[in-house]
Amino acid sequence: MYNSYAHWKNNIEIDESKTGGDSFSGELSFGTSGIRGIMGIGPNRINEYVIARACKGFAMQLTEDGAGSVALTYDSRINSQKYARICAEVFAANGIKAHITQQLAPTPLLAYAVRRLGVGGGVAVTASHNPKEYNGFKVYGRDGSQISGGYAEAVSARIKALDYFGIKKADFERELQEKNVLYFPQSVYLNYIKEVK
């Protein structure tokens, strides 16, 4: 099984002291528009492998939808910027242009940016109200709202079919230079604040 301890141990160097009792007892499920959980090692935790796998599944769905671009935001949680950049690298490696915020952003900014930029969907790296040990991956559709119903089930099915390892990623800085990763224009922030007021 892809989520077994042995499978992870064979693919990455695991620090035994950092694995919790249920780190390998199952895997985080794609629930209310995404996944969230305690950060740590294993399939039942949020980490770079779980994030990259989820992102790849969404990238596959966007490709089927004919969407060539996506928006990404992140909050002030531990590892949020790191995970958002991993998402940008996965999207770029899958031929999807990634528009990413250059600064911390409230989750509603993503909903606004998806519509403002005219992209096919979005990802917010956040765990909302959960304690500081948590992080997550929230998926938004092209209308700027959290995905649900059959669409969420389709994305979830794609994620479940993937292994946690070997997810192709591009180089963030190189993709910035080649404009496959783009920072939000300042107008997105300014217009968002203006419209909120």
Side-chain angles (χ1 to χ4, degrees):
M1 285 179 61
Y2 293 143
N3 63 352
S4 72
Y5 175 81
H7 182 73
W8 280 66
K9 182 89 170 160
N10 290 336
N11 280 278
I12 62 173
E13 188 173 320
I14 293 177
D15 180 350
E16 307 285 348
S17 67
K18 296 190 186 283
T19 61
D22 65 342
S23 295
F24 293 89
S25 64
E27 59 184 21
L28 294 176
S29 61
F30 192 91
T32 309
S33 76
I35 55 173
R36 66 179 168 210
I38 297 170
M39 289 177 280
I41 298 294
N44 203 29
R45 294 287 186 268
I46 291 288
N47 52 65
E48 61 186 281
Y49 303 100
V50 168
I51 292 288
R53 177 184 185 237
C55 189
K56 170 67 175 180
F58 185 37
M60 292 167 67
Q61 185 64 49
L62 287 171
T63 298
E64 183 173 300
D65 297 343
S69 57
V70 68
L72 297 164
T73 63
Y74 57 89
D75 62 12
S76 61
R77 286 177 172 275
I78 298 166
N79 292 323
S80 283
Q81 183 183 47
K82 173 186 172 182
Y83 294 155
R85 287 185 172 216
I86 287 171
C87 288
E89 292 173 341
V90 172
F91 283 125
N94 283 273
I96 297 171
K97 195 175 294 284
H99 298 262
I100 186 171
T101 182
Q102 198 169 359
Q103 60 200 45
L104 305 179
T107 303
L109 177 66
L110 177 67
Y112 178 80
V114 166
R115 297 190 302 272
R116 182 85 185 182
L117 297 170
V119 296
V123 170
V125 178
T126 180
S128 302
H129 59 281
N130 291 93
K132 65 181 181 179
E133 295 83 6
Y134 285 71
N135 214 324
F137 175 93
K138 284 189 175 179
V139 181
Y140 287 67
R142 69 171 62 245
D143 62 353
S145 58
Q146 293 182 26
I147 64 170
S148 61
Y151 193 83
E153 289 172 8
V155 172
S156 179
R158 289 186 183 279
I159 295 169
K160 286 180 182 176
L162 296 168
D163 192 353
Y164 289 94
F165 302 100
I167 302 294
K168 187 178 176 185
K169 295 191 286 287
D171 178 75
F172 186 86
E173 296 300 331
R174 188 189 69 230
E175 298 303 322
L176 264 179
Q177 292 176 2
E178 297 189 5
K179 302 196 183 310
N180 295 318
V181 172
L182 300 162
Y183 285 124
F184 284 13
Q186 193 66 17
S187 61
V188 169
Y189 306 106
L190 297 176
N191 287 323
Y192 169 71
I193 292 168
K194 180 181 176 182
E195 293 192 29
V196 166
K197 286 182 178 179

